[in-house]
């Protein structure tokens, strides 16, 4: 498992860093099967609040028809309190070895 943490306020530099990380991790693989990108829209729950469950679910999902999987979690700045982001940190100790994570600590829209 590879974990990349990207932090920044400049959307152009953050975007370039994400593209570079994904290009390296996916390599010659099929992006449509390997890559899952989550944004703040995916973190909304039914009550209108924010929760990290989608990131956790994506990181724990085994690859399908590929050997590896790449999960990009964007806008993780939506979770500023320790009790909100601690499940993501805990995930690092229990994530699948076949899943690479790109965690992007940026503000949401």
């Amino acid at each position: 498992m590879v974990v990349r943490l990207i932090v920044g306020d400049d959307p152009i530099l953050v975007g370039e860093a994400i593209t570079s990380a994904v290009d390296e991790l996916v390599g010659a693989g099929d992006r449509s099967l390997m890559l899952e990108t989550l944004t703040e829209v995916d973190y909304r729950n039914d009550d209108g609040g924010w929760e990290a469950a989608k990131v956790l679910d994506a990181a724990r999902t085994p690859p399908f028809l590929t050997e590896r999987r790449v999960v990009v979690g964007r806008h993780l700045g939506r979770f500023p309190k320790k009790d909100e982001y601690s499940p993501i940190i805990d995930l690092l100790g229990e994530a699948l070895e076949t899943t690479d994570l790109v965690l992007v600590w940026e503000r949401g829209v």
Side-chain angles (χ1 to χ4, degrees), residues 55-75:
V55 176
L56 304 176
D57 291 344
R60 292 178 180 145
T61 301
F64 181 69
L65 300 175
T66 64
E67 292 182 19
R68 302 206 59 76
R69 182 171 156 75
V70 177
V71 175
V72 178
R74 297 197 63 174
H75 307 123

Side-chain angles (χ1 to χ4, degrees), residues 16-29 31:
E16 289 174 358
I18 294 167
T19 299
S20 176
V22 169
D23 286 348
E24 183 180 330
L25 294 171
V26 170
R31 280 179 185 257

